[in-house]
Amino acid sequence: MIDLRRVVRNRKFRSQIDVVRAAPVASGSYVHDGIWQPGAPTTFKMWAVVMPSKTADLMRFLPEGERQENYITIYSEDPIIMGNGRDLEPDVIVWGGNSYKVAFLKPWESVAGYYFAMCRGFVPDQPGVEEPNKDL
């Protein structure tokens, strides 16, 4: 593996991104009429190297049906969360005015000192617009 720690830490290559982290399911509560109300998400800033994803990475890490989507790759010293599909939602990255959800994560912090994440672009919270259904 190539040692990218110097690149990830270099201010010439890093940009500041906004991260929206969903609250854990346990932080929500039931409100009137038994309707579940999730906890409030947390928004914070993070420094990371951000770039369009390489075709080789798309082929290597993503399922065939998702490779045509709009992806970015992030290298960060700060933790990134991918979610687990049940009770933990993936982080939403806001970069360049666009929103991306973490779709793939390699937590190389113990070996290389950084996190490698691939994030899929999406349009958040607009009436009539839904994220692509990965289950089809």
Side-chain angles (χ1 to χ4, degrees):
M1 179 183 340
I2 298 172
D3 186 1
L4 295 175
R5 283 181 282 197
R6 291 180 63 191
V7 174
V8 172
R9 293 178 180 145
N10 192 325
R11 291 193 180 266
K12 291 179 184 177
F13 302 112
R14 296 189 312 170
S15 57
Q16 197 170 44
I17 58 176
D18 292 321
V19 179
V20 180
R21 184 161 291 162
V25 170
S27 68
S29 62
Y30 287 99
V31 293
H32 67 301
D33 296 333
I35 298 172
W36 178 256
Q37 180 68 40
T42 304
T43 302
F44 56 94
K45 295 195 180 296
M46 175 188 299
W47 287 96
V49 175
V50 184
M51 63 187 75
S53 294
K54 297 185 295 187
T55 302
D57 288 341
L58 294 172
M59 298 293 284
R60 181 176 177 193
F61 297 123
L62 297 175
E64 191 171 311
E66 294 184 23
R67 296 177 188 160
Q68 73 277 7
E69 301 288 335
N70 179 25
Y71 278 88
I72 59 171
T73 297
I74 295 176
Y75 297 89
S76 172
E77 293 180 290
D78 298 318
I80 299 171
I81 294 177
M82 186 172 105
N84 60 15
R86 295 181 312 275
D87 57 350
L88 187 61
E89 291 293 319
D91 283 347
V92 173
I93 308 298
V94 180
W95 177 70
N98 297 311
S99 296
Y100 303 86
K101 274 193 181 178
V102 176
F104 179 81
L105 177 67
K106 283 285 189 182
W108 290 331
E109 80 284 357
S110 63
V111 176
Y114 61 88
Y115 291 80
F116 168 84
M118 295 178 70
C119 306
R120 180 173 50 89
F122 76 104
V123 180
D125 298 333
Q126 290 190 0
V129 178
E130 296 181 12
E131 282 190 75
N133 186 350
K134 292 196 270 187
D135 298 330
L136 293 179

